[in-house]
């Protein structure tokens, strides 16, 4: 038995392939290459922002929680318990962690002002050769 192609069947397959082709084109447009940011050596020396009060609390809580519950090893479960505890704590209990966070934030602000002064004065531009020499690796 020989199958004979009719005109209507060939046009429907052609329109289907065109639809597929259009969908493929939109995917190509959506996947445009984005330019990656190049981090300069100066920006690598920029001070890092300090964590919030919650993260200082989380450090202490993790240690206590692991000691009390040695069978729970999932960070997800520990994180959930930590978040629940933080929500139920009063402001007076949180003050200790807020104080630590404000101290670290003040240190960061001082370091950041020093960094911006050095950057504006051009001090980093002269010291670019020294950035590579600080490595402990002698290879």
């Amino acid at each position: 038995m020989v199958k004979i192609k009719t005109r209507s069947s060939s046009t429907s397959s052609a329109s289907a392939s065109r639809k597929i082709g259009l969908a493929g084109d939109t995917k190509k447009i959506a996947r445009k290459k984005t330019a990656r940011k190049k981090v300069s050596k100066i920006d690598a020396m920029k001070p890092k922002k300090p964590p919030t009060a919650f993260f200082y609390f989380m450090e202490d809580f993790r240690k206590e929680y692991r000691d009390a519950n040695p069978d729970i090893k999932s960070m997800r479960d520990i994180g959930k318990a930590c978040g629940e505890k933080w929500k139920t704590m009063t402001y007076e209990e949180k003050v200790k962690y807020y104080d630590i966070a404000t101290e670290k934030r003040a240190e960061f602000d001082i370091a950041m002002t020093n960094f911006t002064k050095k950057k504006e004065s051009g001090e980093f531009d002269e010291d670019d050769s020294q950035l590579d020499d600080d490595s402990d690796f002698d290879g």
Side-chain angles (χ1 to χ4, degrees):
M1 184 158 140
V2 177
K3 192 171 186 180
I4 302 172
K5 290 186 180 180
T6 61
R7 186 173 174 99
S8 63
S9 65
S10 64
T11 57
S12 64
S13 64
S15 65
S17 66
R18 275 190 240 131
K19 287 179 185 176
I20 293 170
L22 290 175
D25 292 341
T26 57
K27 288 179 183 177
K28 288 178 185 176
I29 293 169
R31 285 187 279 167
K32 286 185 179 178
K33 292 185 179 180
T34 57
R36 292 186 181 183
K37 292 183 179 179
K38 292 186 179 181
V39 179
S40 69
K41 294 178 185 178
I42 296 171
D43 289 340
M45 296 183 66
K46 185 176 180 180
K48 304 295 181 212
K49 286 186 181 178
T52 61
F54 176 73
F55 287 98
Y56 290 111
F57 165 72
M58 191 185 297
E59 278 181 37
D60 293 341
F61 183 80
R62 272 191 213 145
K63 293 173 188 170
E64 295 171 9
Y65 192 79
R66 284 184 182 168
D67 292 341
N69 304 309
D71 55 329
I72 298 177
K73 299 191 183 214
S74 170
M75 287 303 292
R76 178 177 167 252
D77 296 335
I78 296 170
K80 280 187 174 185
C82 183
E84 290 171 8
K85 174 72 175 171
W86 181 257
K87 288 178 186 176
T88 59
M89 288 174 65
T90 62
Y91 181 76
E92 289 78 24
E93 295 171 325
K94 293 180 183 180
V95 167
K96 176 174 103 174
Y97 302 106
Y98 284 125
D99 290 341
I100 295 169
T102 53
E103 287 174 13
K104 297 292 183 180
R105 183 63 186 201
E107 291 173 9
F108 168 75
D109 290 338
I110 292 168
M112 196 63 194
T113 55
N114 291 339
F115 174 78
T116 54
K117 286 179 185 176
K118 286 181 180 180
K119 189 174 179 181
E120 289 173 357
S121 68
E123 192 172 319
F124 287 123
D125 296 337
E126 299 164 1
D127 294 339
D128 278 343
S129 60
Q130 291 179 350
L131 293 175
D132 295 330
D133 296 338
D134 291 340
S135 175
D136 293 336
F137 181 70
D138 295 328

